[in-house]
Amino acid sequence: MGWFGGAVGPPGTTRTPVGARLMWPDSQVWTVATSVRASRTANGRRLAVFGPCAAADAELNRLVESVGMNDLDAAATAWPGAYALVLDDGKGTLTLWADPAGACPLYTAQVNGTAMWASSSMALASLLGGKPDTAWLAAHLASPTEWVPGRSAWSGVEQVPPGCRWTATTEGVSASAPYWRSRTCTRSEAVDRLREDIAGGVRVRVDGRPTSSDLSGGLDSSSLAAHAARRGTVTGITYHPTGRDTGGDADHARMVARAFPSIRHRFMPLGREHLPFTDLDALVLTDEPAPSTITIAQLFSQFVMLVSEGASVHLTGDGGDTLFMPPPVHFADLARSGRVLRLARDAQSWARLNRASPWPALAAAWRTPGRLSGTLPKPWLSGHTTDMAEAVIAPHPLPVLGHADRYLLAEARYVGRTAAAESQLATAFGIEMHNPYTDARLVEGVLAAPSLDRWSAHRYKPLLADAVKDLLPEEVVQRGAKGLFAVDHHHGLRANEARVLDLADGHLGDLGLVRPAVLRSLLRRAMLGVDIPWGLIEPVLGAELWLRISGTATRHVRWEETA
């Protein structure tokens, strides 16, 4: 499952997952099917890097020799990739660095008085009875991108805050402290860094390995496929409705494939058997509800196809929309700074684009900035859910940022953490699924650019378009949007009516988190073709499915004692 972890305690107290490879003979750290690199000194000081990281071996050897915490803090985002650092100082203290983008999440728990840590919350939960955390679920349903300190999807398991280091000693003392700070740069500097970090993030994952990539014809996946093609042969996967493999997305994907002969272009037709809400019983348990839960039939068919193509690494463009296509949340920063003329101009541009009045957005900028992100009411949630969520949500322990920066960082961390759950689904098929747009350096680089330059009503994903303009065909760079498949949700809902309606009245209802009658009514309207906020409904149904299989954690996760 790609887990690593261990205990902080005297020799003989450490546990490791069955099938794990012991990294150090006397270590407290193990791994399962994940990239691990280690360095050590003669006096017992040991450093491990988990996950894809572009650092050279010589750089890690120099780093483990460093006694300055500043050097180690800087190293947590020094190289392309999505990785976590673990340092054993040889004197009884262990320190973890959680990456600031949240794409390589770390978790801790107290098990029988011993501090334990892992990259899987489910692995730790199996030692504590495997009970879901109801308060975390409430926050997940009400405000999924908000920070919930001291919790995870599992009771008794705590996520280390992204951008923080967690230190523990053999005496049982542990604490988290921020190490990461946001930076600023000019727009041109941000574009240059973006160009380098996308290339570096792809390179560290694909070099010398059988690789595939989504190739939807959009900017996000096309950029990754193109960079992978520069490193060697890559299988580009384009999805299309059965019987319709021309026009729109398919034609743009072909343009990219023609521009890079090393792309082996493959089409995957999507039929009735791939509709949303199909084959939901095939779901396997992950650290938290995965975003693709409702479309599991398509996802698992994709993995089967990748295996048949011989791929072991797969790249997706998840996270690209979050970084490069933000809503007009910077309006609030313009209002706060008194830049009224720029605010009025941007609001008018946004209004023309959406064929709406600019006045609601202007009012929100001054009074209710949260509405600028398009937040909608959720009448299917109970008042109990809202109250519980408000009680456990808190500001993240990092310096105060502007509204646009806070929004971007919170969204990016949510995508990064949930992408880790998606990757756990892929490992069931022997596939390493990677999302370079969730890398810390990419998130950090975009966040460093002025928020006013990240948004545009006139250009589609302007930062990314400028970073890849010399890489992709001009028609792809200038493309304004991608195709949508919302109609598939309506068809899938009708084809699986009884199963979906059953989800509306289940564990979440028993916990008092949803109003089953309201949710069922909404789903019935969707079956009639009425458009509903799928992006808000899918997490509810996904959480219900996850709850229904959560009891398997203690059966499927096994740990064994080590000497």
Side-chain angles (χ1 to χ4, degrees), residues 202 205-206 209-215 221 224-226 228-229 232-239 262-266 302-303 305-317 430-436:
V202 171
R205 291 168 166 92
V206 310
R209 309 182 69 189
T211 301
S212 61
S213 175
D214 288 347
L215 183 54
S221 64
L224 300 181
T233 301
V234 57
T235 301
I237 308 295
T238 300
Y239 315 97
S262 54
I263 293 180
R264 299 168 58 240
H265 200 187
R266 298 290 184 267
Q302 170 191 342
F303 292 151
M305 180 181 183
L306 296 180
V307 171
S308 69
E309 292 287 341
S312 63
V313 174
H314 183 69
L315 305 178
T316 87
I431 299 290
E432 282 187 33
M433 190 162 68
H434 293 282
N435 307 277

Side-chain angles (χ1 to χ4, degrees), residues 241-525:
T242 297
R244 287 191 288 138
D245 62 354
T246 59
D249 292 346
D251 288 350
H252 283 83
R254 285 189 175 95
M255 290 180 192
V256 178
R258 285 196 296 266
F260 295 89
S262 54
I263 293 180
R264 299 168 58 240
H265 200 187
R266 298 290 184 267
F267 284 86
M268 178 177 168
L270 302 178
R272 185 178 180 84
E273 69 275 18
H274 302 117
L275 285 173
F277 310 106
T278 300
D279 203 17
L280 296 179
D281 291 332
L283 185 68
V284 297
L285 189 60
T286 52
D287 281 345
E288 63 179 82
S292 292
T293 297
I294 299 305
T295 55
I296 200 71
Q298 176 183 332
L299 185 66
F300 279 11
S301 294
Q302 170 191 342
F303 292 151
V304 170
M305 180 181 183
L306 296 180
V307 171
S308 69
E309 292 287 341
S312 63
V313 174
H314 183 69
L315 305 178
T316 87
D318 289 350
D321 287 349
T322 297
L323 290 184
F324 305 117
M325 197 169 64
V329 288
H330 72 287
F331 288 5
D333 295 328
L334 290 173
R336 181 184 299 173
S337 62
R339 301 183 63 177
V340 179
L341 291 179
R342 174 64 189 266
L343 172 60
R345 186 166 63 249
D346 281 7
Q348 288 174 345
S349 297
W350 177 87
R352 284 193 294 269
L353 179 67
N354 292 274
R355 299 179 181 179
S357 168
W359 295 112
L362 287 169
W366 291 100
R367 301 172 185 171
T368 54
R371 294 186 179 180
L372 294 170
S373 60
T375 302
L376 297 174
K378 300 177 180 179
W380 52 87
L381 298 183
S382 67
H384 174 61
T385 299
T386 304
D387 292 342
M388 194 182 306
E390 291 177 351
V392 297
I393 288 172
H396 192 280
L398 284 178
V400 176
L401 301 171
H403 188 80
D405 290 347
R406 289 200 309 273
Y407 175 85
L408 175 66
L409 191 56
E411 292 285 327
R413 285 172 170 166
Y414 171 74
V415 173
R417 193 190 72 234
T418 56
E422 295 273 282
S423 297
Q424 291 178 328
L425 296 175
T427 58
F429 292 80
I431 299 290
E432 282 187 33
M433 190 162 68
H434 293 282
N435 307 277
Y437 292 119
T438 65
D439 287 1
R441 285 189 62 82
L442 283 179
V443 174
E444 185 180 68
V446 173
L447 192 65
S451 62
L452 302 183
D453 294 332
R454 300 197 294 259
W455 180 88
S456 174
H458 308 290
R459 293 184 64 201
Y460 183 68
K461 300 185 178 180
L463 281 183
L464 180 60
D466 287 348
V468 301
K469 64 181 180 182
D470 297 326
L471 175 71
L472 297 173
E474 183 177 358
E475 295 89 341
V476 177
V477 175
Q478 297 300 326
R479 190 180 185 194
K482 273 197 338 173
L484 299 175
F485 296 92
V487 66
D488 290 345
H489 284 72
H490 293 283
H491 292 161
L493 202 53
R494 296 189 193 105
N496 300 278
E497 177 179 351
R499 182 75 170 99
V500 178
L501 290 178
D502 174 65
L503 294 177
D505 192 0
H507 288 61
L508 291 175
D510 293 342
L511 292 171
L513 297 178
V514 301
R515 295 171 173 167
V518 176
L519 186 56
R520 195 181 303 110
S521 174
L522 191 67
L523 292 171
R524 285 202 170 104
R525 291 176 60 203

Side-chain angles (χ1 to χ4, degrees), residues 194-207:
L194 188 59
R195 185 181 299 114
E196 295 175 2
D197 287 339
I198 293 175
V202 171
R203 181 175 62 250
V204 72
R205 291 168 166 92
V206 310
D207 276 3

Side-chain angles (χ1 to χ4, degrees), residues 131-162:
K131 296 180 180 179
D133 187 308
T134 303
W136 183 93
L137 281 169
H140 171 72
L141 297 175
S143 303
T145 64
E146 296 288 349
W147 175 241
V148 185
R151 296 179 183 272
S152 74
W154 300 95
S155 181
V157 180
E158 175 179 354
Q159 183 185 358
V160 178

